[in-house]
Amino acid sequence: MAKLTEVLMWWEKVPDTPRARSIMKGWIYEVAEDADYSAGSPTHEKPFYFVDIRIPINRLDLLAKQGLIRDFTKVILDAENSDRSPENARRVWVVINEIKADDWGIGGHLDWLRDYTSALDEVGSYQEPV
């Protein structure tokens, strides 16, 4: 998750500061082996990964979305110690959900986005993910 967070922050152009990191959230859900179906069958050699990214609308352009999907796939396959073959890459599904500010509340408020945006104002150094 630390590496995925780093990659997301880089593509979203969020400075890697303690304030910005405190706003980044991630969850991992693992399903039972017999609940992971491919082609209608729970039997397959390697797991599938589904990454759901939720961000404010218009934070990423098409190039950033392509890079984010590519880099998330690389990070997951590297963590699994799998090669980056097309067969393995197809086991990683990434969905980017862009949400309008008035459709996303945190802490019972819609105006949480001001805190998110203000974290982007801090000066930080960018380091390209490896």
Side-chain angles (χ1 to χ4, degrees), residues 8 10 22 29 51 58 60 64 87 97 113 115 117 120 123 127-128:
L8 178 59
W10 190 87
S22 74
Y29 301 98
V51 181
N58 297 324
L60 302 174
E87 180 181 41
N97 288 302
L113 192 55
D115 289 336
T117 304
L120 306 181
V123 177
Q127 295 180 346
E128 182 175 348

Side-chain angles (χ1 to χ4, degrees), residues 80-101:
E80 186 186 68
N81 291 320
S82 288
D83 64 58
R84 296 179 185 169
S85 69
E87 180 181 41
N88 282 329
R90 284 190 289 271
R91 294 185 295 109
V92 181
W93 295 34
V94 180
V95 176
I96 299 171
N97 288 302
E98 294 182 292
I99 303 171
K100 295 186 303 185

Side-chain angles (χ1 to χ4, degrees), residues 6 12 19 21 44 47 55 58 60 63 68 74 81 83 92 96 99 104 111:
E6 177 184 323
E12 203 177 351
R19 174 78 175 117
R21 276 194 175 262
H44 42 86
I55 61 171
N58 297 324
L60 302 174
L63 179 64
L68 183 59
K74 288 178 182 178
N81 291 320
D83 64 58
V92 181
I96 299 171
I99 303 171
W104 193 348
D111 62 353

